[in-house]
Coordinates of all heavy atoms in Angstrom, one line a residue:
M1 N 0.9 -1.2 0.0 CA 0.0 0.0 0.0 C 0.9 1.3 0.0 O 1.8 1.4 0.8 CB -0.9 0.0 1.3 CG -1.6 1.2 1.4 SD -2.2 1.4 3.0 CE -1.6 3.0 3.4
T2 N 0.5 2.2 -0.8 CA 1.2 3.4 -0.8 C 0.3 4.5 -0.1 O -0.8 4.3 0.1 CB 1.4 3.9 -2.2 OG1 0.2 4.1 -2.9 CG2 2.3 3.0 -3.0
L3 N 1.1 5.4 0.5 CA 0.3 6.5 1.3 C -0.3 7.4 0.2 O 0.2 7.8 -0.8 CB 1.3 7.1 2.2 CG 1.9 6.4 3.3 CD1 2.9 7.2 4.0 CD2 0.8 5.9 4.4
T4 N -1.6 7.8 0.6 CA -2.2 8.7 -0.3 C -1.6 10.1 0.1 O -1.0 10.4 1.0 CB -3.8 8.8 0.1 OG1 -3.9 9.2 1.5 CG2 -4.4 7.5 -0.1
S5 N -1.9 11.0 -0.9 CA -1.3 12.4 -0.7 C -1.9 13.0 0.4 O -1.3 13.8 1.1 CB -1.6 13.2 -2.0 OG -2.9 13.3 -2.3
Q6 N -3.1 12.8 0.7 CA -3.7 13.4 1.9 C -3.0 12.9 3.2 O -2.9 13.7 4.1 CB -5.3 13.1 1.9 CG -6.0 13.7 3.1 CD -6.1 15.2 3.0 OE1 -6.0 15.8 2.0 NE2 -6.2 15.9 4.2
K7 N -2.8 11.6 3.3 CA -2.2 11.1 4.5 C -0.8 11.6 4.6 O -0.3 12.0 5.7 CB -2.2 9.6 4.3 CG -1.7 8.9 5.6 CD -2.5 9.0 6.8 CE -2.1 8.2 7.9 NZ -2.8 8.4 9.1
K8 N -0.2 11.8 3.4 CA 1.3 12.4 3.5 C 1.2 13.8 4.0 O 2.0 14.2 4.8 CB 1.9 12.4 2.1 CG 2.4 11.0 1.7 CD 3.0 11.2 0.3 CE 3.3 9.8 -0.2 NZ 3.9 9.8 -1.5
K9 N 0.3 14.6 3.6 CA 0.1 15.9 4.1 C -0.1 16.0 5.6 O 0.3 16.9 6.3 CB -1.0 16.6 3.3 CG -0.6 17.1 2.0 CD -1.8 17.7 1.2 CE -1.4 18.1 -0.3 NZ -2.4 18.8 -1.0
E10 N -1.0 15.1 6.0 CA -1.3 15.1 7.4 C -0.1 14.7 8.3 O 0.3 15.4 9.3 CB -2.4 14.0 7.7 CG -3.7 14.3 7.2 CD -4.7 13.2 7.4 OE1 -4.4 12.2 8.1 OE2 -5.8 13.3 6.9
L11 N 0.6 13.8 7.9 CA 2.0 13.4 8.5 C 3.0 14.5 8.4 O 3.7 14.9 9.4 CB 2.5 12.1 7.9 CG 1.8 10.9 8.2 CD1 2.5 9.6 7.3 CD2 1.8 10.5 9.6
A12 N 3.1 15.2 7.3 CA 4.0 16.3 7.2 C 3.7 17.4 8.1 O 4.5 18.1 8.7 CB 4.1 16.8 5.8
K13 N 2.3 17.7 8.3 CA 1.9 18.7 9.1 C 2.1 18.4 10.5 O 2.5 19.3 11.4 CB 0.4 19.0 8.8 CG -0.1 20.3 9.4 CD -1.6 20.5 9.0 CE -2.1 21.9 9.5 NZ -3.5 22.0 9.1
K14 N 1.9 17.1 10.9 CA 2.0 16.8 12.3 C 3.6 16.7 12.7 O 3.9 17.1 13.8 CB 1.4 15.4 12.6 CG 1.4 14.9 13.9 CD 0.5 13.7 14.1 CE 0.6 13.3 15.5 NZ -0.2 11.9 15.6
Y15 N 4.4 16.1 11.9 CA 5.8 15.8 12.2 C 6.8 16.8 11.7 O 7.9 16.9 12.1 CB 6.2 14.5 11.9 CG 5.4 13.4 12.7 CD1 4.4 12.7 12.1 CD2 5.6 13.1 14.0 CE1 3.7 11.8 12.7 CE2 5.0 12.2 14.7 CZ 3.9 11.5 14.1 OH 3.2 10.6 14.8
G16 N 6.3 17.5 10.6 CA 7.3 18.5 10.0 C 6.9 19.9 10.4 O 6.1 20.2 11.2
D17 N 7.4 20.9 9.6 CA 7.1 22.3 9.7 C 5.8 22.6 9.0 O 5.0 23.3 9.7 CB 8.3 23.1 9.2 CG 9.6 22.8 9.8 OD1 9.6 22.4 11.0 OD2 10.6 23.1 9.1
N18 N 5.5 22.2 7.8 CA 4.3 22.5 7.2 C 4.0 21.3 6.3 O 4.7 20.3 6.2 CB 4.5 23.8 6.3 CG 5.7 23.8 5.3 OD1 6.2 22.6 5.0 ND2 6.2 24.8 5.0
E19 N 2.9 21.4 5.5 CA 2.3 20.3 4.7 C 3.3 20.0 3.6 O 3.3 18.8 3.1 CB 1.0 20.7 4.1 CG -0.1 20.7 5.1 CD -1.4 21.1 4.5 OE1 -1.4 21.4 3.2 OE2 -2.4 21.0 5.2
S20 N 4.1 20.9 3.0 CA 4.9 20.6 1.9 C 6.2 20.1 2.2 O 7.0 19.6 1.3 CB 5.1 21.9 1.1 OG 5.7 22.9 1.7
N21 N 6.5 20.1 3.5 CA 7.9 19.6 3.9 C 7.9 18.1 4.2 O 7.9 17.6 5.3 CB 8.3 20.3 5.1 CG 9.7 20.0 5.5 OD1 10.5 19.5 4.8 ND2 10.2 20.5 6.7
V22 N 7.8 17.3 3.0 CA 7.7 15.8 3.2 C 9.1 15.2 3.2 O 9.3 14.0 3.4 CB 6.9 15.3 2.1 CG1 5.5 15.5 2.3 CG2 7.4 15.6 0.8
G23 N 10.1 16.0 3.0 CA 11.5 15.5 2.8 C 12.3 15.5 4.1 O 13.4 14.9 4.2
S24 N 11.7 16.1 5.2 CA 12.5 16.1 6.5 C 12.5 14.8 7.0 O 11.7 13.9 6.8 CB 11.8 17.0 7.5 OG 10.7 16.5 7.9
I25 N 13.5 14.5 7.8 CA 13.8 13.1 8.4 C 12.7 12.7 9.3 O 12.2 11.5 9.1 CB 15.1 13.1 9.2 CG1 16.3 13.5 8.3 CG2 15.4 11.8 9.8 CD1 17.5 13.8 9.0
E26 N 12.1 13.5 10.0 CA 11.0 13.2 11.0 C 9.9 12.7 10.1 O 9.2 11.7 10.5 CB 10.7 14.3 11.8 CG 11.6 14.8 12.9 CD 12.7 15.8 12.2 OE1 12.6 16.2 11.0 OE2 13.7 16.0 12.9
V27 N 9.5 13.4 9.1 CA 8.4 13.0 8.3 C 8.7 11.7 7.5 O 7.8 10.9 7.4 CB 8.0 14.1 7.3 CG1 6.9 13.8 6.4 CG2 7.7 15.4 8.0
Q28 N 9.8 11.5 7.1 CA 10.2 10.3 6.4 C 10.0 9.1 7.3 O 9.5 8.1 7.0 CB 11.7 10.3 5.8 CG 11.9 11.2 4.6 CD 13.2 11.2 4.1 OE1 14.0 10.2 4.3 NE2 13.7 12.3 3.5
I29 N 10.5 9.3 8.6 CA 10.3 8.2 9.5 C 8.8 7.9 9.9 O 8.4 6.7 9.9 CB 11.1 8.5 10.8 CG1 12.6 8.5 10.6 CG2 10.9 7.6 11.9 CD1 13.5 9.1 11.6
A30 N 8.1 9.1 9.9 CA 6.7 8.8 10.1 C 6.0 8.1 9.0 O 5.1 7.2 9.3 CB 6.0 10.2 10.4
M31 N 6.4 8.4 7.7 CA 5.7 7.7 6.7 C 6.1 6.3 6.6 O 5.3 5.4 6.3 CB 6.1 8.4 5.3 CG 5.4 9.7 5.1 SD 5.5 10.4 3.6 CE 7.1 11.0 3.5
L32 N 7.4 6.0 6.9 CA 7.8 4.6 6.9 C 7.0 3.9 8.0 O 6.7 2.7 7.8 CB 9.3 4.5 7.2 CG 10.2 4.8 5.9 CD1 11.6 4.9 6.4 CD2 10.1 3.8 4.9
T33 N 6.9 4.5 9.2 CA 6.1 3.8 10.3 C 4.8 3.5 9.9 O 4.3 2.4 10.2 CB 6.3 4.7 11.5 OG1 7.6 5.0 11.9 CG2 5.6 4.0 12.6
E34 N 4.0 4.4 9.2 CA 2.7 4.1 8.7 C 2.6 2.9 7.7 O 1.8 2.1 7.9 CB 2.1 5.3 7.9 CG 1.7 6.4 8.9 CD 0.7 6.1 9.9 OE1 -0.3 5.4 9.4 OE2 0.8 6.3 11.1
R35 N 3.7 2.9 6.9 CA 3.6 1.7 5.8 C 4.0 0.3 6.6 O 3.4 -0.6 6.3 CB 4.7 2.0 4.8 CG 4.2 3.1 3.9 CD 5.2 3.4 2.7 NE 5.4 2.2 1.9 CZ 6.4 2.0 1.0 NH1 7.4 3.0 1.0 NH2 6.6 1.0 0.3
I36 N 4.9 0.5 7.6 CA 5.2 -0.7 8.4 C 4.0 -1.2 9.2 O 3.7 -2.4 9.2 CB 6.4 -0.5 9.3 CG1 7.7 -0.3 8.5 CG2 6.5 -1.5 10.3 CD1 8.8 0.3 9.2
K37 N 3.2 -0.2 9.7 CA 2.0 -0.6 10.5 C 1.0 -1.3 9.6 O 0.3 -2.3 10.0 CB 1.4 0.5 11.2 CG 2.2 1.0 12.4 CD 1.5 2.2 13.1 CE 2.3 2.7 14.2 NZ 1.6 3.9 14.8
Y38 N 0.9 -0.8 8.5 CA -0.1 -1.4 7.5 C 0.4 -2.8 7.1 O -0.5 -3.7 7.0 CB -0.2 -0.6 6.2 CG -1.0 -1.2 5.0 CD1 -2.3 -1.4 5.1 CD2 -0.2 -1.9 4.0 CE1 -3.0 -2.1 4.1 CE2 -0.9 -2.6 3.0 CZ -2.3 -2.7 3.1 OH -2.9 -3.4 2.2
L39 N 1.6 -2.9 6.8 CA 2.1 -4.3 6.5 C 2.0 -5.4 7.6 O 1.8 -6.5 7.4 CB 3.6 -4.3 6.0 CG 3.8 -3.7 4.5 CD1 5.1 -3.6 4.3 CD2 3.1 -4.6 3.5
E40 N 2.2 -4.8 8.8 CA 2.0 -5.7 9.9 C 0.6 -6.2 10.0 O 0.3 -7.5 10.3 CB 2.4 -5.0 11.2 CG 3.8 -4.9 11.4 CD 4.2 -4.0 12.7 OE1 3.2 -3.4 13.3 OE2 5.4 -3.9 13.0
S41 N -0.4 -5.4 9.8 CA -1.8 -5.8 9.8 C -2.1 -6.7 8.5 O -2.9 -7.6 8.6 CB -2.8 -4.7 9.8 OG -2.7 -3.9 8.6
H42 N -1.4 -6.5 7.5 CA -1.6 -7.3 6.3 C -1.1 -8.7 6.5 O -1.7 -9.7 6.2 CB -0.7 -6.7 5.1 CG -0.7 -7.5 3.9 ND1 -1.7 -7.7 3.0 CD2 0.3 -8.3 3.4 CE1 -1.3 -8.4 2.0 NE2 -0.1 -8.9 2.3
F43 N 0.0 -8.9 7.3 CA 0.5 -10.2 7.5 C -0.3 -11.0 8.5 O -0.1 -12.2 8.6 CB 1.9 -10.1 8.1 CG 2.9 -9.7 6.8 CD1 3.7 -8.6 7.1 CD2 2.9 -10.3 5.7 CE1 4.6 -8.3 6.1 CE2 3.8 -10.0 4.7 CZ 4.7 -9.0 4.9
K44 N -1.2 -10.4 9.2 CA -2.1 -11.1 10.1 C -3.0 -11.9 9.4 O -3.5 -13.1 9.7 CB -2.8 -10.3 11.0 CG -1.9 -9.6 12.1 CD -2.7 -8.7 13.0 CE -1.6 -8.1 14.0 NZ -2.2 -7.0 14.9
T45 N -3.5 -11.5 8.1 CA -4.5 -12.2 7.3 C -3.6 -13.1 6.2 O -4.2 -14.1 5.8 CB -5.4 -11.4 6.6 OG1 -4.7 -10.4 6.0 CG2 -6.4 -10.7 7.7
H46 N -2.5 -12.6 5.8 CA -1.8 -13.2 4.6 C -0.4 -13.7 5.2 O 0.6 -13.0 5.1 CB -1.6 -12.3 3.6 CG -2.9 -11.7 3.0 ND1 -3.8 -11.1 3.7 CD2 -3.3 -11.6 1.6 CE1 -4.8 -10.7 2.9 NE2 -4.5 -11.0 1.7
K47 N -0.4 -14.8 5.9 CA 0.7 -15.2 6.6 C 1.9 -15.7 5.7 O 3.0 -15.7 5.9 CB 0.3 -16.4 7.5 CG -0.6 -16.0 8.7 CD -0.9 -17.2 9.5 CE -1.8 -16.8 10.6 NZ -2.1 -15.6 11.0
K48 N 1.5 -16.2 4.5 CA 2.5 -16.8 3.5 C 3.0 -15.7 2.4 O 3.7 -16.3 1.5 CB 2.0 -18.0 2.9 CG 1.7 -19.1 3.9 CD 1.3 -20.4 3.2 CE 1.1 -21.4 4.2 NZ 0.7 -22.7 3.6
D49 N 2.8 -14.5 2.6 CA 3.1 -13.5 1.7 C 4.5 -13.1 1.9 O 4.8 -12.1 2.5 CB 2.2 -12.3 1.8 CG 2.4 -11.3 0.7 OD1 3.3 -11.6 -0.3 OD2 1.8 -10.2 0.6
N50 N 5.5 -13.9 1.4 CA 6.9 -13.7 1.7 C 7.5 -12.6 0.8 O 8.4 -12.0 1.2 CB 7.6 -15.0 1.4 CG 7.3 -16.1 2.5 OD1 7.2 -15.8 3.6 ND2 7.2 -17.3 2.1
H51 N 6.9 -12.3 -0.3 CA 7.4 -11.1 -1.2 C 7.1 -9.9 -0.5 O 8.1 -9.0 -0.4 CB 6.7 -11.2 -2.5 CG 7.2 -12.3 -3.4 ND1 6.6 -13.5 -3.3 CD2 8.1 -12.4 -4.3 CE1 7.1 -14.4 -4.2 NE2 8.1 -13.7 -4.9
S52 N 6.0 -9.7 0.2 CA 5.8 -8.4 0.8 C 6.6 -8.4 2.1 O 7.0 -7.3 2.6 CB 4.4 -8.3 1.2 OG 3.6 -8.1 0.0
R53 N 6.9 -9.6 2.7 CA 7.7 -9.5 4.0 C 9.1 -9.0 3.6 O 9.7 -8.4 4.5 CB 7.8 -11.0 4.5 CG 8.2 -11.2 5.9 CD 8.1 -12.6 6.4 NE 6.7 -13.1 6.2 CZ 5.8 -12.9 7.2 NH1 6.0 -12.3 8.2 NH2 4.7 -13.5 7.0
R54 N 9.6 -9.4 2.5 CA 11.0 -8.9 2.1 C 10.9 -7.3 2.1 O 11.9 -6.7 2.4 CB 11.4 -9.5 0.8 CG 12.7 -9.0 0.4 CD 13.2 -9.7 -0.9 NE 14.5 -9.4 -1.1 CZ 14.9 -8.6 -2.1 NH1 14.0 -8.0 -2.9 NH2 16.1 -8.2 -2.4
G55 N 9.9 -6.8 1.5 CA 9.7 -5.3 1.4 C 9.6 -4.7 2.9 O 10.2 -3.7 3.1
L56 N 8.9 -5.4 3.8 CA 8.8 -5.0 5.1 C 10.2 -4.9 5.8 O 10.5 -3.9 6.5 CB 7.9 -5.9 6.0 CG 7.8 -5.7 7.4 CD1 7.1 -4.4 7.7 CD2 7.2 -6.9 8.2
I57 N 11.0 -5.9 5.5 CA 12.3 -5.9 6.2 C 13.1 -4.8 5.7 O 13.9 -4.1 6.4 CB 13.0 -7.3 5.9 CG1 12.3 -8.4 6.7 CG2 14.4 -7.2 6.2 CD1 12.7 -9.7 6.3
S58 N 13.0 -4.4 4.3 CA 13.8 -3.3 3.8 C 13.2 -1.9 4.4 O 14.1 -1.1 4.6 CB 13.8 -3.2 2.3 OG 12.4 -3.0 1.9
L59 N 12.0 -1.8 4.6 CA 11.5 -0.7 5.2 C 11.8 -0.4 6.6 O 12.2 0.7 7.1 CB 9.9 -0.7 5.2 CG 9.2 -0.6 3.9 CD1 7.6 -0.7 4.0 CD2 9.5 0.8 3.2
V60 N 11.9 -1.6 7.4 CA 12.4 -1.5 8.8 C 13.8 -1.0 8.8 O 14.2 -0.2 9.7 CB 12.1 -2.8 9.5 CG1 12.8 -2.8 10.9 CG2 10.7 -3.0 9.6
S61 N 14.6 -1.6 7.9 CA 16.1 -1.3 7.9 C 16.1 0.3 7.5 O 17.1 0.9 8.1 CB 16.9 -2.2 7.1 OG 16.5 -2.0 5.7
K62 N 15.5 0.7 6.6 CA 15.6 2.2 6.3 C 15.2 3.0 7.5 O 16.0 4.0 7.6 CB 14.6 2.5 5.0 CG 15.1 2.1 3.7 CD 14.1 2.6 2.7 CE 14.4 2.1 1.4 NZ 13.4 2.5 0.4
R63 N 14.1 2.7 8.1 CA 13.8 3.4 9.3 C 14.8 3.4 10.4 O 15.0 4.4 11.0 CB 12.4 2.9 9.8 CG 11.8 3.8 10.9 CD 10.6 3.3 11.4 NE 10.7 2.0 12.2 CZ 9.7 1.4 12.7 NH1 8.5 1.9 12.7 NH2 9.9 0.2 13.4
R64 N 15.4 2.2 10.6 CA 16.4 2.1 11.6 C 17.6 3.0 11.2 O 18.2 3.7 12.2 CB 16.8 0.6 11.6 CG 17.8 0.4 12.7 CD 18.2 -1.1 12.9 NE 18.4 -1.8 11.6 CZ 19.6 -1.8 11.0 NH1 20.7 -1.2 11.5 NH2 19.7 -2.5 9.8
K65 N 18.1 3.0 10.0 CA 19.1 3.9 9.6 C 18.9 5.4 9.8 O 19.7 6.1 10.3 CB 19.5 3.6 8.2 CG 20.2 2.3 7.9 CD 20.3 2.0 6.5 CE 20.9 0.7 6.2 NZ 21.0 0.3 4.7
L66 N 17.6 5.8 9.5 CA 17.2 7.2 9.7 C 17.2 7.5 11.1 O 17.6 8.6 11.5 CB 15.9 7.5 9.0 CG 16.0 7.5 7.5 CD1 14.5 7.6 7.0 CD2 16.8 8.7 7.0
L67 N 16.7 6.6 12.0 CA 16.6 6.8 13.4 C 18.1 6.9 14.0 O 18.3 7.7 14.9 CB 15.8 5.7 14.1 CG 14.3 5.8 14.0 CD1 13.7 4.5 14.5 CD2 13.8 7.0 14.7
Q68 N 19.0 6.1 13.4 CA 20.4 6.2 14.0 C 21.0 7.6 13.6 O 21.7 8.1 14.4 CB 21.2 5.1 13.4 CG 21.0 3.8 13.9 CD 21.9 2.7 13.2 OE1 22.5 2.9 12.2 NE2 21.9 1.5 13.8
Y69 N 20.7 8.0 12.4 CA 21.1 9.4 12.0 C 20.6 10.4 12.8 O 21.4 11.3 13.4 CB 20.8 9.6 10.5 CG 21.1 11.1 10.1 CD1 22.4 11.4 9.9 CD2 20.0 11.9 10.0 CE1 22.6 12.8 9.5 CE2 20.2 13.2 9.6 CZ 21.5 13.6 9.3 OH 21.9 15.0 9.1
I70 N 19.3 10.4 13.2 CA 18.7 11.5 14.0 C 19.2 11.4 15.5 O 19.4 12.4 16.1 CB 17.2 11.3 13.9 CG1 16.6 12.8 14.0 CG2 16.6 10.5 14.9 CD1 15.1 12.9 13.6
S71 N 19.5 10.1 15.9 CA 20.0 10.0 17.3 C 21.4 10.6 17.4 O 21.8 11.2 18.5 CB 20.0 8.6 17.7 OG 21.0 7.8 17.1
R72 N 22.2 10.5 16.4 CA 23.6 11.0 16.4 C 23.5 12.6 16.3 O 24.3 13.3 16.8 CB 24.4 10.5 15.2 CG 25.0 9.2 15.5 CD 25.8 8.7 14.3 NE 25.1 8.1 13.3 CZ 25.1 8.4 12.0 NH1 26.0 9.1 11.5 NH2 24.3 7.8 11.2
R73 N 22.5 13.1 15.5 CA 22.4 14.5 15.3 C 21.9 15.2 16.5 O 22.5 16.2 16.9 CB 21.6 14.8 14.1 CG 21.7 16.1 13.6 CD 20.8 16.4 12.4 NE 19.4 16.4 12.9 CZ 18.3 16.7 12.1 NH1 18.5 16.7 10.9 NH2 17.1 16.6 12.7
D74 N 20.8 14.8 17.0 CA 20.0 15.4 18.2 C 19.3 14.4 18.9 O 18.3 13.9 18.6 CB 19.1 16.4 17.7 CG 18.5 17.3 18.8 OD1 18.9 17.1 19.9 OD2 17.6 18.1 18.6
Y75 N 19.8 14.0 20.0 CA 19.3 12.9 20.8 C 18.0 13.1 21.5 O 17.2 12.2 21.5 CB 20.3 12.3 21.9 CG 19.9 11.0 22.6 CD1 20.1 9.8 21.8 CD2 19.4 11.0 23.8 CE1 19.7 8.6 22.3 CE2 19.1 9.7 24.4 CZ 19.3 8.6 23.6 OH 18.9 7.4 24.1
T76 N 17.7 14.4 22.0 CA 16.4 14.7 22.6 C 15.4 14.6 21.5 O 14.3 14.2 21.8 CB 16.5 16.0 23.2 OG1 16.9 17.0 22.2 CG2 17.5 16.1 24.3
Q77 N 15.7 15.2 20.3 CA 14.7 15.0 19.2 C 14.3 13.6 18.8 O 13.2 13.3 18.6 CB 15.2 15.8 18.0 CG 14.3 15.9 16.8 CD 15.0 16.7 15.7 OE1 16.1 16.9 15.7 NE2 14.1 17.0 14.7
Y78 N 15.3 12.8 18.9 CA 15.2 11.3 18.7 C 14.3 10.7 19.6 O 13.3 9.9 19.3 CB 16.6 10.7 18.7 CG 16.6 9.2 18.8 CD1 16.4 8.4 17.7 CD2 16.8 8.6 20.0 CE1 16.3 6.9 17.8 CE2 16.9 7.2 20.2 CZ 16.6 6.4 19.1 OH 16.6 5.1 19.3
Q79 N 14.4 11.0 20.9 CA 13.5 10.5 22.0 C 12.1 10.9 21.9 O 11.1 10.2 22.1 CB 14.1 10.8 23.4 CG 15.5 10.2 23.8 CD 15.9 10.6 25.0 OE1 15.7 11.7 25.4 NE2 16.6 9.6 25.7
E80 N 12.0 12.3 21.6 CA 10.6 12.9 21.4 C 9.9 12.1 20.2 O 8.7 11.8 20.3 CB 10.8 14.4 21.1 CG 11.1 15.1 22.3 CD 11.4 16.6 22.0 OE1 11.0 16.9 20.9 OE2 11.8 17.3 22.9
L81 N 10.6 11.9 19.1 CA 10.1 11.2 17.9 C 9.6 9.9 18.2 O 8.5 9.4 17.8 CB 11.0 11.3 16.7 CG 10.5 10.7 15.4 CD1 9.4 11.6 14.9 CD2 11.6 10.8 14.4
I82 N 10.4 9.2 19.0 CA 10.1 7.8 19.3 C 8.9 7.8 20.1 O 8.0 6.9 20.0 CB 11.2 7.1 20.1 CG1 12.3 6.7 18.9 CG2 10.8 5.8 20.8 CD1 13.5 6.0 19.5
K83 N 8.7 8.7 21.1 CA 7.5 8.8 21.9 C 6.2 9.1 21.1 O 5.2 8.4 21.3 CB 7.7 9.8 23.1 CG 8.6 9.3 24.2 CD 8.7 10.4 25.2 CE 9.7 10.0 26.2 NZ 9.9 11.0 27.3
K84 N 6.4 10.0 20.1 CA 5.2 10.4 19.3 C 4.7 9.2 18.5 O 3.6 9.0 18.3 CB 5.6 11.5 18.4 CG 5.6 12.9 19.1 CD 5.9 13.9 18.0 CE 6.1 15.3 18.7 NZ 6.5 16.2 17.5
L85 N 5.7 8.5 17.9 CA 5.3 7.3 17.0 C 5.1 6.0 17.6 O 4.8 5.0 17.1 CB 6.6 7.1 16.0 CG 6.7 8.3 14.9 CD1 7.9 8.1 14.2 CD2 5.5 8.5 14.1
N86 N 5.3 5.9 19.0 CA 5.2 4.7 19.7 C 6.1 3.5 19.1 O 5.6 2.5 18.9 CB 3.7 4.3 19.9 CG 2.9 5.3 20.7 OD1 3.3 5.8 21.6 ND2 1.7 5.4 20.2
I87 N 7.3 3.9 19.0 CA 8.3 2.9 18.4 C 9.0 2.3 19.7 O 9.6 3.0 20.5 CB 9.2 3.5 17.5 CG1 8.5 4.1 16.3 CG2 10.2 2.5 17.0 CD1 9.4 4.8 15.2
R88 N 9.0 1.1 19.7 CA 9.9 0.3 20.7 C 11.3 0.5 20.5 O 11.8 0.1 19.4 CB 9.6 -1.2 20.7 CG 8.6 -1.7 21.7 CD 8.4 -3.1 21.6 NE 8.3 -3.6 20.2 CZ 8.6 -4.9 19.8 NH1 9.2 -5.7 20.6 NH2 8.4 -5.2 18.6
R89 N 12.1 1.0 21.4 CA 13.5 1.0 21.2 C 14.1 1.2 22.5 O 13.7 1.8 23.4 CB 14.0 2.1 20.3 CG 13.9 1.6 18.9 CD 14.9 2.3 18.1 NE 15.9 1.4 17.7 CZ 17.0 1.6 17.0 NH1 17.2 2.9 16.7 NH2 17.8 0.7 16.7

């Protein structure tokens, strides 16, 4: 599933500066998190969908790399973002 433009604007407004700022790291992490949540619910009904599972693993690794970058840059911002997104770490 891809995110709709409306959903992207909502995420950009919530985690970024404005609606058009979809390139900031916080917004990218939020969009990846939404896609990961969707795939997790998808796998509850489609247990043998291994092709999508591979995509999920790549999304999780992208998000992990971005989170590592943000933690090196500004650790307090990293902690706030994790609390907002309810990410276990």
Side-chain angles (χ1 to χ4, degrees):
M1 175 202 121
T2 59
L3 293 174
T4 61
S5 61
Q6 181 65 26
K7 186 67 175 176
K8 285 181 184 180
K9 286 181 182 179
E10 289 174 9
L11 290 172
K13 192 173 184 181
K14 185 174 181 181
Y15 295 103
D17 299 334
N18 55 22
E19 289 181 356
S20 63
N21 188 10
V22 293
S24 71
I25 298 168
E26 296 85 4
V27 177
Q28 288 182 26
I29 292 171
M31 285 194 285
L32 285 172
T33 302
E34 286 295 317
R35 289 180 63 197
I36 289 169
K37 286 179 183 178
Y38 169 76
L39 284 174
E40 286 175 350
S41 66
H42 170 79
F43 289 128
K44 290 180 182 174
T45 56
H46 302 52
K47 295 182 186 339
K48 295 185 178 184
D49 189 3
N50 291 321
H51 289 85
S52 296
R53 195 173 305 273
R54 181 171 184 257
L56 172 71
I57 290 170
S58 69
L59 290 176
V60 170
S61 67
K62 278 184 190 179
R63 184 179 71 177
R64 183 176 45 86
K65 288 175 187 176
L66 288 173
L67 284 170
Q68 283 178 349
Y69 171 75
I70 212 168
S71 71
R72 280 184 275 132
R73 195 181 70 178
D74 187 7
Y75 192 72
T76 56
Q77 185 180 11
Y78 164 77
Q79 287 178 331
E80 290 173 6
L81 185 62
I82 284 181
K83 285 181 185 176
K84 284 183 185 177
L85 292 173
N86 294 326
I87 299 175
R88 259 185 312 153
R89 274 206 114 187

